[in-house]
Amino acid sequence: MSNVVISGGGWSGCAAALSAAKAGAKVILIERTDLLLGTGLVGGIFRNNGRYTAAEESIAMGAGEFFKVMDENSRHTNIDFPGHQHASLYDVTTMEPMIKKILLEYGVEIKTQVRVNNVKKAGRHIEAVALDNGEVLQGDAFIDATGSAGPMGNCLRYGNGCAMCILRCPSFGPRISLSGKAGVKEFFGEKADGSVGAMSGSCKINKDSLSDELKAELERKGVAVLKIPEGLRKKGGLLKKACSQYALDAFAENIILLDTGHAKLMTSYFPLKDLRKIHGLEKARYEDPYSGGVGNSMRYLAIAPCDCTLRVDDIDNLFCAGEKSGTIVGHTEAIVTGLLAGHNAVRCSLDMEYLVLPNTIAIGDFIEFVQRKMTDESGRRIRYTFSGSVYFNRMKEEGLYEINSEFIQQNIEKAGLKDIYYKCLV
């Protein structure tokens, strides 16, 4: 039997658990809070721009369960907003139990409200992890999907203070890095000016606090755009965002709301007293972060060096996924890295050759491109996503952006990857 232990139950950790379980491993997923999905509890955007390609590639490779249930749970599909086309918005209020159900059906053991606080190693090999409840978990391979945001001290030092975001450090304790505990030297992502970290790129407003007219428009169309008066526009705010694909003039000049169950406000923060001066938002109230008038969580403060198989440097049986693997942005990006990490963790435990996805498919090219950029200081100042900015431009230049599902499936078959994640390795 192959035993895989995963620390971190966000989208990447859940995806790693799915692919490892499908490959035949016994999987334990550890999450420090009481809910899975991490920032996926307040995100909701997928299939926009190049994310459509990545989702369809994952489905063709035999690991489409998450994308299919996201499609089923979408409040809106095929919508456009500035800089983005054919987006879907899943309902953030109902997504988590649907993903948890899938994992349980595949036999994944889920442990919540616990964290890894120590690692037992023999040379370059992790033998077991100790949890903060005293439990010790042995494993053949381990995956770090703990992310790069938190603990609270980072938001205090590099941001505007704890904004009481969905990470909920005050309630469940700080995020603890498995890679860090294993002695791996992690690194920071930076902003364009060289300062450390980046701020989460959106806030949630309680939809019932909108005017009746605005709420109706948002629920009907999925998107609402409100002009910001000149005197209320924030200067330089877009440079602080983790989500560089939204660092467009339209997001500085307008309030852009998306219907994800809450009203998703596409800015890192906006002073409440100014927000309430805009028609339709006179009674607005933040849902997440609760201090959304002041700031949001700080990201990219604990990235592990790894290769294109997502194996962490200097540890033979440790893999990483999501933001832990680079300055990447988004649920889709977290899922596709998680799928590869989970699959390769099982290969590691069976002493098999690791899977390296070719650059003839978008996911393979994305992972290779990001890992190459992470070796250079200037590359760590850039955010990478299928949905915009530097990498989406590359997708289009390289002919990797495609929204014809049949063509994408044929390309996966040509690469010899059809149902690769569906096959049991054990």
Side-chain angles (χ1 to χ4, degrees):
M1 195 67 183
S2 170
N3 296 287
V4 176
V5 178
I6 303 166
S7 182
W11 270 122
S12 65
C14 288
L18 176 67
S19 62
K22 294 183 77 166
K26 177 183 177 183
V27 180
I28 298 177
L29 178 62
I30 303 163
E31 166 55 37
R32 69 180 178 84
T33 74
D34 56 355
L35 292 169
L36 301 178
L37 297 192
T39 57
L41 293 165
V42 292
I45 305 174
F46 71 111
R47 288 195 178 274
N48 50 322
N49 293 349
R51 288 174 176 161
Y52 188 99
T53 309
E56 290 299 308
E57 286 184 348
S58 297
I59 292 170
M61 286 192 286
E65 288 88 346
F66 287 179
F67 290 110
K68 290 175 181 177
V69 80
M70 289 160 75
D71 286 334
E72 293 169 3
N73 195 35
S74 290
R75 297 181 63 87
H76 304 276
T77 60
N78 199 31
I79 69 169
D80 297 340
F81 57 95
H84 298 264
Q85 294 182 306
H86 50 75
S88 291
L89 306 176
Y90 70 71
D91 193 325
V92 299
T93 64
T94 56
M95 193 78 253
E96 192 265 354
M98 300 174 77
I99 296 301
K100 189 173 186 179
K101 182 175 183 288
I102 292 173
L103 294 179
L104 292 174
E105 288 174 347
Y106 274 99
V108 175
E109 181 181 353
I110 301 171
K111 294 179 178 291
T112 58
Q113 294 184 243
V114 289
R115 298 170 296 167
V116 171
N117 69 356
N118 208 351
V119 172
K120 180 182 178 183
K121 288 197 307 178
R124 292 168 53 102
H125 191 87
I126 297 177
E127 296 180 335
V129 294
L131 307 185
D132 56 5
N133 64 359
E135 191 174 1
V136 176
L137 302 177
Q138 294 181 329
D140 300 307
F142 298 81
I143 299 171
D144 186 349
T146 57
S148 66
M152 284 171 56
N154 284 338
C155 293
L156 294 168
R157 182 175 181 180
Y158 301 110
N160 297 345
C162 176
M164 294 183 284
C165 72
I166 197 62
L167 299 178
R168 297 176 290 166
C169 298
S171 298
F172 297 104
R175 178 191 59 81
I176 297 176
S177 169
L178 173 55
S179 298
K181 287 291 182 180
V184 174
K185 186 178 180 181
E186 298 175 318
F187 60 88
F188 289 165
E190 299 177 357
K191 293 189 278 291
D193 62 4
S195 58
V196 171
M199 194 171 286
S200 294
S202 66
C203 301
K204 299 294 179 294
I205 297 175
N206 186 310
K207 208 157 49 173
D208 288 334
S209 71
L210 307 179
S211 69
D212 291 343
E213 179 184 11
L214 180 56
K215 178 182 176 183
E217 178 186 357
L218 185 62
E219 292 186 335
R220 183 175 68 256
K221 298 179 179 179
V223 58
V225 180
L226 309 174
K227 199 75 173 176
I228 302 175
E230 185 75 35
L232 298 181
R233 294 177 187 174
K234 294 187 294 177
K235 304 297 183 183
L238 296 179
L239 299 177
K240 301 177 181 179
K241 293 178 61 141
C243 308
S244 56
Q245 72 271 34
Y246 306 129
L248 308 172
D249 288 344
F251 291 87
E253 298 168 358
N254 300 281
I255 291 290
I256 297 176
L257 300 175
L258 303 178
D259 178 20
T260 60
H262 298 302
K264 184 178 178 72
L265 169 62
M266 302 299 289
T267 185
S268 296
Y269 63 94
F270 204 104
L272 187 62
K273 63 182 178 60
D274 293 335
L275 189 69
R276 287 180 170 179
K277 293 176 183 178
I278 299 171
H279 181 64
L281 299 173
E282 293 86 353
K283 298 179 181 179
R285 173 177 169 173
Y286 284 109
E287 285 290 316
D288 176 88
Y290 283 99
S291 299
V294 175
N296 206 328
S297 58
M298 296 300 296
R299 314 269 279 276
Y300 308 124
L301 299 173
I303 300 170
C306 64
D307 60 22
C308 292
T309 69
L310 300 181
R311 187 183 68 82
V312 176
D313 292 357
D314 301 324
I315 306 292
D316 292 337
N317 63 336
L318 176 62
F319 296 79
C320 65
E323 284 181 16
K324 182 62 72 174
S325 67
T327 55
I328 66 174
V329 178
H331 308 331
T332 300
E333 293 76 2
I335 291 170
V336 300
T337 54
L339 292 173
L340 181 61
H343 185 80
N344 275 336
V346 179
R347 286 176 175 259
C348 173
S349 69
L350 300 174
D351 199 25
M352 295 175 63
E353 182 180 359
Y354 296 147
L355 175 64
V356 177
L357 298 177
N359 61 9
T360 56
I361 70 170
I363 295 173
D365 185 70
F366 176 78
I367 291 173
E368 189 277 331
F369 184 75
V370 171
Q371 292 313 313
R372 179 156 38 93
K373 292 295 185 180
M374 290 301 100
T375 64
D376 181 70
E377 186 176 288
S378 62
R380 298 175 186 178
R381 296 182 178 182
I382 300 171
R383 312 295 172 242
Y384 303 95
T385 169
F386 296 109
S387 71
S389 190
V390 173
Y391 187 73
F392 184 46
N393 291 337
R394 175 181 169 85
M395 281 187 77
K396 291 182 284 189
E397 291 168 1
E398 297 295 322
L400 294 169
Y401 173 44
E402 180 60 62
I403 58 173
N404 183 316
S405 299
E406 184 176 342
F407 181 88
I408 294 169
Q409 184 168 337
Q410 291 172 355
N411 193 41
I412 292 295
E413 290 178 357
K414 184 178 178 180
L417 296 171
K418 180 172 173 55
D419 291 333
I420 188 73
Y421 290 140
Y422 190 76
K423 299 171 184 175
C424 183
L425 302 176
V426 176

